[in-house]
Amino acid sequence: MIKVGIVGSTGRVGSLLIDDLANDEQAKVGAVHVFGEMTKQLPENTVVTNDMKVLLDSSDVIIDFSAPVATEALLTQIVESGNGKPLVIATTGFNKHQQNLLVEASKIVPVLYATNMSLGVAVLNKLVALASKTLADFDIEIVEQHHRHKVDSPSGTALTLAEHAANARDLDLDKVRVSGRDGIIGARTKDEIAVMALRGGDIVGRHTVGLYNDGEFIELNHTATSRNTFSRGAIKVAKWIIGKDPKLYSINDALGL
Ligand SMILES: NC(=O)C1=CN([C@@H]2O[C@H](COP(=O)(O)OP(=O)(O)OC[C@H]3O[C@@H](n4cnc5c(N)ncnc54)[C@H](OP(=O)(O)O)[C@@H]3O)[C@@H](O)[C@H]2O)C=CC1
Ligand SMILES: O=C(O)C1=N[C@H](C(=O)O)C[C@H](O)C1
């Protein structure tokens, strides 16, 4: 059995990972990193720790749905020690330093980073690239909606969708991204890509990429209706990444897209 180590094990998705792994025939929970208190019943012999080294030593692969500072501690442990285990990183909201650490860690162990672990969003990214390139005159606007507890904005998925749109048009997203409109801001500029966030209730995750022109528009939408979509997607790619060479992989590599 593959022993999975979980960072963010007490969280909304981490908790589902524990449930999904209890029903998996190839993988089980080997160890959990606990920051606060673990109240959930764990399988017998699960290693419970607040030490990233112990977590790594007790696991064959790590799945991380946590917070940027927690992922940073995991990555730092690997970069400073020069060894570790394959990583599946799903946490969003990283700063530049944390993004660099991800790249450094991927020179030591295989790392798959995906801002969204669903098959649907992986395909949506491709559709957005195609539509953005083909419909070159259309205005691109992205809206994401999430539950009231989400702490980062805009979502990692929305930023990844925006990157696909910008890259397809040879634009630098940092230069063209708009994150708010308020007051007499002037007319929309041709290349800008707005990424707007709504928060409320228990919305699992909804992303809409609109391409608007005079006389017609297209809206490409993905809605996650269950958080298990993410936990099960992460378990699938965790099985795939074991045995791979150190490198930064995308979810498309794992899904063969
Ligand atoms: N890529 C994808 O498909 C998806 C990504 N996500 C991302 O995953 C992350 C987690 O989401 P979600 O489960 O909803 O969040 P939660 O807030 O429910 O869970 C966060 C987890 O991280 C732990 N944590 C927080 N701070 C620290 C810290 N300083 N050190 C160690 N552990 C810490 C929490 O522990 P404690 O309970 O003790 O506070 C908790 O276990 C977010 O970044 C979210 O955007 C979410 C869904 C899908
Ligand atoms: O925090 C969440 O819930 C989600 N976060 C991810 C993101 O920021 O894109 C993925 C998903 O939309 C749910």
Side-chain angles (χ1 to χ4, degrees), residues 8 10-13 35-36 65-66 69-70 90 92 114-117 150 230:
T10 54
R12 278 175 288 274
V13 185
F35 173 60
F65 283 86
S66 61
V69 283
T92 56
T115 54
N116 197 298
M117 291 290 168
K150 184 163 177 64
F230 308 131

Side-chain angles (χ1 to χ4, degrees), residues 7-15 33-37 52 64-71 73 89-93 113-118 147 149-152 155-157 204 227 229-231:
V7 182
S9 61
T10 54
R12 278 175 288 274
V13 185
S15 169
H33 182 272
V34 175
F35 173 60
E37 193 192 352
M52 292 299 181
D64 165 66
F65 283 86
S66 61
V69 283
T71 314
I89 306 290
T91 300
T92 56
Y113 180 55
T115 54
N116 197 298
M117 291 290 168
S118 78
H147 52 97
H149 304 288
K150 184 163 177 64
V151 294
D152 57 313
S155 69
T157 306
V204 173
R227 233 173 235 114
T229 304
F230 308 131
S231 54

Side-chain angles (χ1 to χ4, degrees), residues 8 12 16 22-23 48 53 61 78 81 84 91 121 135 137 158 160-161 175-176 180 182 196 200 204 224 253:
R12 278 175 288 274
L16 293 177
N23 298 314
V48 181
K53 182 178 183 322
V61 62
I78 292 173
S81 68
T91 300
V121 165
L135 307 174
D137 292 334
T160 303
L161 288 164
K175 296 203 173 109
V176 296
D182 190 9
M196 304 293 190
V204 173
D253 296 318

Side-chain angles (χ1 to χ4, degrees), residues 63-83:
I63 301 179
D64 165 66
F65 283 86
S66 61
V69 283
T71 314
E72 181 175 334
L74 171 71
L75 297 172
T76 302
Q77 170 62 36
I78 292 173
V79 170
E80 288 184 354
S81 68
N83 61 60

Side-chain angles (χ1 to χ4, degrees), residues 152-183:
D152 57 313
S153 173
S155 69
T157 306
L159 289 172
T160 303
L161 288 164
E163 271 163 23
H164 280 79
N167 290 346
R169 290 187 176 180
D170 292 324
L171 298 171
D172 178 349
L173 184 60
D174 288 340
K175 296 203 173 109
V176 296
R177 180 157 77 92
V178 170
S179 53
R181 293 191 179 108
D182 190 9

